């Protein structure tokens, strides 16, 4: 079955309805969130407080790679309370972990150059667990301790305590924030983060964030257990549904074991378009595992940014997004004023395992009946590649050539197998990652402890080298969205076999903060070649963004500019958070000890 035929079949159960009137209210499906409803506000074209006036005619003056903010304008302050709650995004009621009772979490908005403050309180009970928030894609050049990774930059936020994050909006565009504690974000701890700034093309409407996420009815702890304890060749977990802005209807007849928890026709997301106008859509893959293929029936998309990197605009029918990736597109409103169209996002039929992979949302033009059912045809697409668009298609809007001869080149080979205790793990250069939440690496490094002898911490210290090239070889059958914190990297090359040194667009390579390395084999590994300047003293994770793969150890820590790093001065909140966590763990047994791995496996981690 082709992707378009299967998607058409998925529409059948929805199209059988006489109108798109949801059976559940928004408060039941998504709590306090208004995303996915026609009452969700469009984003301002002039930023927060109406002070951004950059347009296409001035964008050349705002190269993010050459702009350095020594201090930002005091921007917005957010208060986040993280707690358990019940929601039914697809009609199946399940316990989740929510921010301010909303799924997706509240959207953060700021202007480029603002200082953002977020007060995060951990109110998770029944049972209690730690938490933290990572501000995905921000460089954190002035605040590496607020990157939000427990065991690396901070201790987890202990139950019943709070932590204040304060950081600079040092790049602009579309991103998201999410928990970096275990696989917790897949339970709902995630939201969009929009940094307003210039744009190389004009548009009349900013539709806002469109979060695409696979969704699971099991808890994240259950899934991690299954992945790590299913030797010798564990199948990836099947997602139960796929969501657009936290919504997608399911047919409860397909879930007889959940009959008491399930409501059919829970509701779909809806969006407003305007005939003859240009609309900016901010696409975000906020899922746990799957590759998303995004299309809009009868419309083309003009790509203007990948992650936080503006690109030379180009037109496409379909956008591919690995976990953690973002793409901004401009869509011309070519439909008549009374028309309706389907928006679609498919979990890749070739690359993913999903029980119900096809997500739908309805687009209504200004005079359309907002309860009518679209009757439009899916856009066919090529689903044969479990990777991003070819590198030859994309060049950054601002030229930033990689250093011709990097100071250091590091080969990283990804393998996966069970250890002597029959626990499934991922390895990078024959070492799996395991961290200590009570001893984060950054505070140790700032204090001058740079030896960090524990091999389980997977620390690669690049010293004072000015640039680093990472050559990633993947021998595992599945692809990995590889994410580097603290940087946008140059993507030099990708392919299969052994890299021959050829660079795609050597004068202006693709740049972003997440890139898919395709699945390979020991005999024919896939490769991905990345490079970045070490201009950000800190300890920066480099890891696969599939939640279960991080849980199983596919992760390293990079240390850069260690001499300058020792000159950093940690704010008091870092020590305060660790003292609270240490006091909590002294009185409670904590199951999770890093971003995913389980304490009961700790004695089982051995190479074998």
């Amino acid at each position: 079955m082709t992707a378009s035929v299967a998607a058409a079949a998925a529409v059948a159960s929805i199209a059988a309805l006489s109108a798109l009137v949801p059976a559940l209210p928004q408060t039941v499906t998504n709590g306090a969130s208004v995303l996915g409803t026609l009452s969700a506000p469009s984003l301002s074209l002039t930023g927060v407080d109406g002070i951004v006036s950059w347009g296409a005619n001035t964008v050349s003056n705002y190269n993010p790679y050459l702009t350095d903010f020594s201090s930002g304008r005091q921007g917005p302050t957010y208060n986040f309370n993280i707690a358990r709650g019940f929601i039914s995004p697809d009609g199946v009621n399940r316990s989740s972990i929510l921010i301010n009772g909303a799924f997706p979490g509240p959207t953060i908005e700021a202007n480029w150059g603002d200082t953002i403050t977020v007060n995060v309180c951990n109110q998770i009970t029944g049972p209690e667990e730690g938490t933290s928030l990572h501000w995905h894609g921000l460089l954190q050049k002035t605040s590496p301790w607020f990157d939000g990774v427990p065991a690396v930059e901070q201790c987890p936020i202990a139950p019943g305590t709070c932590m204040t994050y304060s950081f600079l909006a040092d790049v602009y565009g579309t991103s998201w924030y999410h928990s970096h504690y275990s696989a917790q974000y897949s339970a709902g701890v995630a939201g969009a983060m929009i940094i307003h700034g210039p744009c190389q093309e004009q548009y009349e409407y900013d539709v806002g964030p469109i979060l695409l996420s696979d969704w699971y009815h099991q808890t994240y702890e259950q899934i991690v257990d299954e992945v790590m304890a299913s030797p010798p060749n564990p199948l990836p977990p099947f997602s139960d549904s796929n969501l657009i802005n936290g919504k997608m209807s399911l047919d409860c007849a397909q879930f007889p074991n959940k009959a008491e928890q399930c409501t059919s026709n829970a509701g779909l997301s809806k969006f407003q378009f305007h005939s003859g106008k240009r609309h900016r859509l901010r696409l975000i893959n906020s899922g746990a595992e799957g590759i998303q293929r995004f299309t809009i029936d009868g419309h083309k998309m003009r790509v203007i940014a990948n992650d936080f990197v503006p690109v030379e605009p180009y037109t496409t029918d379909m956008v591919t997004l690995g976990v953690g990736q973002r793409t901004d597109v401009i869509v011309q409103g070519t439909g008549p004023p009374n028309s309706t169209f389907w928006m679609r996002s498919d979990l890749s039929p070739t690359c993913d395992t999903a029980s119900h992979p096809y997500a739908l949302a309805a687009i209504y033009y200004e005079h359309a009946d907002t309860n009518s059912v679209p009757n439009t045809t899916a856009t066919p697409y090529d689903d044969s590649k479990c990777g991003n668009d070819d590198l030859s298609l994309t060049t950054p809007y601002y030229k930033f050539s990689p250093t011709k001869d990097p100071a250091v080149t590091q080969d990283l080979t990804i393998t996966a197998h069970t250890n002597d205790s029959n626990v499934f793990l991922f390895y990078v250069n024959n070492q799996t990652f395991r961290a200590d939440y009570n001893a984060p690496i950054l505070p140790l490094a700032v204090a001058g402890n740079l030896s960090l002898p524990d091999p389980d911490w997977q620390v690669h210290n690049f010293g004072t080298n000015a640039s680093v090239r990472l050559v990633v070889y993947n021998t595992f059958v599945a692809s990995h969205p590889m994410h580097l914190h603290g940087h946008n990297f140059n993507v030099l090359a990708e392919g299969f076999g052994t890299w021959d040194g050829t660079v795609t667009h050597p004068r202006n390579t693709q740049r972003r903060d997440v890139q898919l390395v395709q699945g390979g084999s020991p005999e024919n590994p896939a490769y991905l070649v990345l490079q970045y300047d070490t201009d950000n003293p800190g300890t920066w994770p480099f890891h696969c963004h599939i939640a279960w793969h991080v849980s199983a150890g596919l992760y390293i820590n990079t240390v850069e500019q260690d001499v300058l790093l020792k000159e950093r001065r940690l704010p008091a909140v870092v020590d305060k958070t660790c003292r609270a966590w240490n006091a909590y763990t002294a009185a409670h047994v904590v199951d999770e000890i890093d971003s995913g791995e389980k304490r009961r496996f700790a004695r089982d981690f051995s190479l074998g």
Side-chain angles (χ1 to χ4, degrees):
M1 181 180 290
T2 66
S4 57
V5 171
V11 173
S13 60
I14 302 298
L17 303 171
S18 60
L20 282 182
V21 179
L24 293 175
Q26 179 79 0
T27 53
V28 172
T29 56
N30 301 95
S33 174
V34 297
L35 290 181
T37 68
L38 292 174
S39 61
S42 297
L43 299 186
S44 169
L45 301 186
T46 55
V48 178
D49 301 327
I51 67 169
V52 175
S53 59
W54 301 307
N57 60 331
T58 59
V59 70
S60 60
N61 298 322
Y62 295 94
N63 185 336
Y65 308 142
L66 303 179
T67 302
D68 181 26
F69 295 103
S70 57
S71 62
R73 182 187 81 109
Q74 185 55 52
T77 296
Y78 292 87
N79 297 308
F80 284 180
N81 294 316
I82 302 178
R84 296 192 193 276
F86 282 88
I87 52 173
S88 305
D90 57 4
V92 175
N93 191 32
R94 61 152 290 187
S95 176
S96 304
I97 305 177
L98 309 175
I99 300 174
N100 295 355
F103 176 73
T107 298
I108 287 177
E109 283 189 79
N111 299 325
W112 185 36
D114 280 357
T115 293
I116 302 170
T117 302
V118 189
N119 302 310
V120 180
C121 291
N122 180 357
Q123 299 178 346
I124 304 172
T125 60
E128 296 177 331
E129 57 185 81
T131 194
S132 73
L133 290 182
H134 168 57
W135 320 99
H136 186 112
L138 292 182
L139 304 180
Q140 301 285 1
K141 285 190 175 183
T142 60
S143 53
W145 38 82
F146 289 140
D147 189 50
V149 182
V152 181
E153 293 104 3
Q154 67 168 91
C155 295
I157 304 170
T161 69
C162 303
M163 177 177 173
T164 297
Y165 295 86
S166 182
F167 49 87
L168 189 65
D170 48 16
V171 285
Y172 58 80
T174 300
S175 196
W176 63 311
Y177 63 88
H178 58 85
S179 171
H180 221 294
Y181 181 92
S182 189
Q184 190 181 72
Y185 85 80
S186 66
V189 191
M193 182 171 60
I194 309 302
I195 310 300
H196 293 281
C199 183
Q200 65 272 41
E201 293 211 347
Q202 299 282 9
Y203 50 91
E204 286 78 34
Y205 291 93
D206 192 328
V207 176
I210 301 179
L211 294 102
L212 314 172
S213 57
D214 46 19
W215 186 247
Y216 300 78
H217 297 157
Q218 288 182 295
T219 67
Y220 78 83
E221 296 95 336
Q222 291 171 322
I223 298 172
V224 169
D225 281 351
E226 290 181 5
V227 170
M228 296 180 66
S230 302
N233 295 305
L235 292 173
F238 276 69
S239 59
D240 291 292
S241 56
N242 196 23
L243 310 177
I244 297 177
N245 273 357
K247 301 174 74 66
M248 179 60 196
S249 292
L250 289 180
D251 180 358
C252 291
Q254 300 178 58
F255 297 93
N257 60 328
K258 296 185 174 69
E260 296 180 357
Q261 304 167 270
C262 186
T263 301
S264 295
N265 186 30
L268 303 180
S269 285
K270 297 181 178 182
F271 297 92
Q272 182 83 67
F273 269 25
H274 303 266
S275 188
K277 303 299 183 181
R278 293 163 295 186
H279 308 78
R280 181 173 185 167
L281 281 60
R282 300 171 180 269
L283 310 178
I284 304 166
N285 186 337
S286 58
E289 181 178 25
I291 294 174
Q292 299 279 355
R293 312 288 197 192
F294 182 88
T295 59
I296 300 176
D297 293 2
H299 293 71
K300 291 186 178 294
M301 296 172 284
R302 192 158 173 82
V303 175
I304 61 170
N306 284 323
D307 298 350
F308 272 136
V309 179
V311 301
E312 292 287 354
Y314 66 95
T315 301
T316 186
D317 293 322
M318 183 269 290
V319 171
T320 293
L321 292 159
V323 176
Q325 292 185 318
R326 297 87 66 205
T327 293
D328 287 45
V329 299
I330 293 178
V331 180
Q332 181 74 32
T334 55
N338 62 347
S339 60
T340 62
F341 293 84
W342 285 121
M343 174 190 293
R344 307 173 192 262
S345 197
D346 300 347
L347 291 167
S348 168
T350 301
C351 311
D352 297 317
T353 54
S355 298
H356 300 85
Y358 305 107
L360 295 168
I363 293 173
Y364 297 96
Y365 277 82
E366 60 266 37
H367 298 315
D369 176 0
T370 56
N371 289 322
S372 62
V373 179
N375 183 24
T376 53
T377 302
T379 302
Y381 58 81
D382 181 0
D383 189 51
S384 61
K385 179 183 178 182
C386 297
N388 291 116
D389 290 343
D390 290 340
L391 296 179
S392 60
L393 293 177
T394 309
T395 54
Y397 189 81
Y398 298 105
K399 181 180 177 181
F400 195 99
S401 302
T403 303
K404 184 175 182 181
D405 297 309
V408 61
T409 296
Q410 176 69 63
D411 288 355
L412 300 172
T413 300
I414 298 170
T415 56
H417 56 82
T418 54
N419 65 7
D420 289 339
S421 299
N422 229 19
V423 176
F424 177 80
L425 299 171
F426 282 98
Y427 298 82
V428 179
N429 291 358
N430 296 319
Q431 176 65 51
T432 195
F433 169 73
R434 179 161 55 98
D436 185 346
Y437 279 165
N438 296 75
I441 296 169
L442 178 63
L444 291 173
V446 169
N449 185 355
L450 291 167
S451 57
L452 304 174
D454 191 336
D456 289 341
W457 291 1
Q458 273 283 55
V459 175
H460 294 250
N461 187 353
F462 295 120
T464 60
N465 290 296
S467 57
V468 172
R469 178 177 292 173
L470 301 177
V471 185
V472 181
Y473 288 100
N474 182 23
T475 69
F476 188 66
V477 64
S479 60
H480 303 291
M482 301 303 297
H483 173 46
L484 177 64
H485 291 221
H487 295 276
N488 288 314
F489 46 63
N490 294 83
V491 186
L492 273 58
E494 65 170 359
F496 291 89
T498 301
W499 181 47
D500 63 4
T502 300
V503 175
T504 302
H505 294 321
R507 296 183 179 180
N508 192 17
T509 64
Q510 163 76 300
R511 288 173 62 83
R512 61 189 316 165
D513 58 58
V514 182
Q515 181 74 11
L516 283 160
V517 59
Q518 298 180 72
S521 67
E523 298 76 23
N524 188 33
Y527 65 78
L528 174 66
V529 185
L530 311 175
Q531 189 169 309
Y532 60 98
D533 292 341
T534 56
D535 56 2
N536 195 2
T539 56
W540 303 112
F542 178 60
H543 62 90
C544 174
H545 216 296
I546 292 174
W548 338 122
H549 292 189
V550 180
S551 298
L554 209 174
Y555 180 112
I556 69 169
N557 288 296
T558 67
V559 176
E560 65 182 72
Q561 300 300 333
D562 52 10
V563 174
L564 296 177
L565 180 57
K566 288 187 288 186
E567 298 176 4
R568 296 277 201 180
R569 294 294 178 265
L570 299 177
V573 68
V574 175
D575 179 63
K576 178 183 176 182
T577 301
C578 279
R579 283 190 281 110
W581 178 256
N582 290 335
Y584 179 80
T585 57
H588 301 79
V589 176
V590 176
D591 203 16
E592 292 85 8
I593 61 170
D594 63 18
S595 57
E597 293 155 356
K598 295 293 187 178
R599 178 177 291 277
R600 61 179 170 274
F601 291 143
R603 289 189 298 272
D604 295 336
F605 280 172
S606 59
L607 296 178

